[in-house]
Amino acid sequence: MENSAALLVIVDSANVVGSVPDGWWRDRRGAAERLRDRLAEHGLPGRTDPAEIVLVVEGAARDVESVPGVRVESAPGSGDDHMVGLVAGAGGRPVLVVTADRELRRRVTTLGATVAGPRTVRP
């Protein structure tokens, strides 16, 4: 969904996946794919308004592909820098960044985004 009026939800895949010690480190790509699939199926829990979901991946999860309902962006370098760039390029539309990373939270709120923790998208 590429709707400029819809909330842009940017999900820090590494941070969200790493928030639960469920063995994700043995298969980082698989963990990112499971998160992507959960987001595609359920969207953003508790929200019914339109949202464009972008899952930012990096490192071993870099080859995860987009699916209907979730656009996957592979960070060419720092995932945090990529997410900050997405927020900066949002053109004034509302943006929610899902991460627990304090420095990333500071950087994106300075640009006008709101933030939420990993539990926002975890079951």
Side-chain angles (χ1 to χ4, degrees), residues 36-102:
R36 176 205 60 198
D37 294 347
R38 191 167 50 249
L39 289 167
E41 183 176 348
H42 301 291
L44 198 59
R47 294 191 75 110
T48 57
D49 52 326
E52 177 185 359
I53 300 175
V54 178
L55 182 66
V56 176
V57 296
E58 58 188 312
R62 200 169 268 133
D63 294 330
V64 172
E65 296 182 9
S66 296
V67 296
V70 178
R71 185 175 89 227
V72 177
E73 292 255 344
S74 295
S78 161
D80 289 4
D81 290 347
H82 191 74
M83 287 179 270
V84 169
L86 290 172
V87 172
R93 73 192 272 202
V95 180
L96 171 67
V97 177
V98 180
T99 187
D101 181 301
R102 284 187 208 152

Side-chain angles (χ1 to χ4, degrees), residues 6 9 12-13 15 20 23-25 27 29-30 33 48-50 56 67 71 98 103 118:
V9 179
D12 181 350
S13 176
N15 190 268
V20 177
W24 59 265
W25 53 88
D27 181 11
R29 179 181 174 162
E33 288 172 336
T48 57
D49 52 326
V56 176
V67 296
R71 185 175 89 227
V98 180
E103 177 61 14

